[in-house]
Amino acid sequence: MAEMMALTEATYYILLSLVRPQHGYGIMQQTEALSHGRVHLAAGTLYGALNTLCDKGWIIQLPVEDGSRRKEYRLTEQGRSVLLAEMKRLRELVDNGERILRGE
Amino acid sequence: MEKSMTMRKWFWVWEFDKEETWLNEMAMNGWLLESVSFAAYHFVRCEPGTYSIRLEMHPADEEYVSFMEETGAEYIGRMMMWMYFRKKVEDGPFDLFSDIDSRIAHLDRIGKLLQIVGVANLVIGVANAIGPTRLGWINLLCATLLMYGLGRIHGKKEALEKERMLHE
């Protein structure tokens, strides 16, 4: 049931950023770029979200390369289907809004 | 002109936002937080308004510190359960939390700790009050204060939860 609930904007953009492997700071930058500066992920919020998403199995942490302290993450298959379901939900919201405001 | 100074100041746990505001005011006035110790803050001179300071209750966590450093923040140090960070203003806005959920989670962490310490004091206080030492009132006083703090944290949380009904 919980899987059917709406994602927060932060979760949505984190998942979207992780279609390709990315480290924490990269996720922050990509989110800002994708939303044209509208959505800003603060470090504490992002850190907590990454841990929760790993626990849920929607993303995984990649093995750390030698000499690098940066951890990279990537979307899992499960995460991908959550993302697709959310996009469907968002599309429905917008479609309904447009239809009703157009006065159909 | 002095290069550094130490100020003794006490903030209750539930006044963490007041503490943060004060530390940022100090930075605005050219005093940058350099390290923290028990009820004391050590500052060095800085160009006024060049740094933002943030603090957070967070269990000791090396990984979190390096994560923060990766994003351009500097780790100042920790005092009890609190971590202090700073970031140059020119390196962009500095916040630890960017949504209501993570702010609520932070308040929950603080509340949980107050609750544990408060209940412990209550139990010790009651045990001592009926025991031979008669010093239980000190613990009972502590328990009362901590429960007051818990109420303050709960109030902040309720305000956020109301907001959460409409926004994220």
Side-chain angles (χ1 to χ4, degrees):
Chain A
M1 188 60 212
E3 317 287 295
M4 303 283 289
M5 283 180 359
L7 301 181
T8 64
E9 252 184 2
T11 309
Y12 182 79
Y13 273 115
I14 292 168
L15 294 180
L16 208 52
S17 302
L18 291 177
V19 169
R20 271 186 223 110
Q22 191 75 268
H23 54 80
Y25 191 49
I27 299 172
M28 288 165 86
Q29 287 176 314
Q30 201 170 342
T31 298
E32 275 201 56
L34 281 172
S35 66
H36 305 287
R38 189 179 61 82
V39 181
H40 159 74
L41 294 177
T45 300
L46 176 59
Y47 187 79
L50 287 173
N51 285 335
T52 311
L53 293 172
C54 279
D55 289 345
K56 277 189 167 290
W58 294 358
I59 61 173
I60 48 160
Q61 197 187 300
L62 299 175
V64 181
E65 283 171 40
D66 290 340
S68 168
R69 284 168 79 203
R70 288 178 163 188
K71 281 188 178 159
E72 285 201 319
Y73 300 85
R74 191 174 46 80
L75 195 66
T76 61
E77 270 311 306
Q78 198 189 345
R80 196 182 186 86
S81 54
V82 171
L83 199 52
L84 286 169
E86 177 67 0
M87 284 161 68
K88 198 175 152 202
R89 190 189 69 86
L90 291 170
R91 203 167 286 130
E92 182 199 287
L93 286 180
V94 174
D95 286 350
N96 279 336
E98 282 178 346
R99 194 168 46 81
I100 287 175
L101 289 181
R102 249 184 290 138
E104 277 176 24
Chain B
M1 199 165 61
E2 295 161 84
K3 286 251 159 41
S4 66
M5 71 157 172
T6 295
M7 271 181 90
R8 304 216 139 262
K9 206 170 166 75
W10 179 257
F11 289 99
W12 296 104
V13 176
W14 49 93
E15 294 177 320
F16 66 92
D17 33 10
K18 222 167 114 185
E19 181 182 357
E20 194 177 84
T21 305
W22 176 68
L23 290 170
N24 280 301
E25 277 167 12
M26 291 298 287
M28 273 309 231
N29 294 325
W31 286 107
L32 177 64
L33 185 66
E34 181 69 7
S35 63
V36 277
S37 48
F38 189 73
Y41 300 84
H42 313 288
F43 298 94
V44 290
R45 274 278 177 210
C46 71
E47 201 62 44
T50 47
Y51 275 91
S52 335
I53 316 277
R54 293 283 176 256
L55 50 103
E56 177 186 359
M57 179 182 274
H58 202 286
D61 185 351
E62 289 259 335
E63 247 177 55
Y64 187 51
V65 170
S66 51
F67 189 87
M68 290 297 296
E69 285 171 345
E70 201 185 297
T71 67
E74 278 175 68
Y75 176 57
I76 300 173
R78 60 182 292 118
M79 184 59 228
M80 317 277 255
M81 298 287 287
W82 292 83
M83 281 186 177
Y84 296 76
F85 296 98
R86 66 188 185 198
K87 188 174 173 181
K88 282 209 177 92
V89 170
E90 61 183 26
D91 290 345
F94 186 32
D95 279 307
L96 295 178
F97 306 115
S98 50
D99 62 15
I100 298 177
D101 285 335
S102 52
R103 280 193 193 97
I104 291 177
H106 183 225
L107 289 173
D108 275 339
R109 281 206 295 276
I110 301 170
K112 209 181 259 172
L113 189 83
L114 285 174
Q115 211 170 349
I116 293 169
V117 183
V119 168
N121 270 288
L122 188 67
V123 172
I124 297 169
V126 170
N128 280 341
I130 51 177
T133 62
R134 303 266 170 244
L135 281 173
W137 63 272
I138 297 174
N139 295 100
L140 291 177
L141 204 67
C142 283
T144 312
L145 187 68
L146 290 164
M147 289 305 157
Y148 166 78
L150 191 60
R152 291 288 299 270
I153 293 293
H154 192 74
K156 286 180 196 194
K157 196 179 137 184
E158 255 181 4
L160 286 178
E161 274 171 348
K162 225 179 209 170
E163 184 74 21
R164 184 72 181 83
M165 308 263 284
L166 298 176
H167 307 282
E168 60 171 62

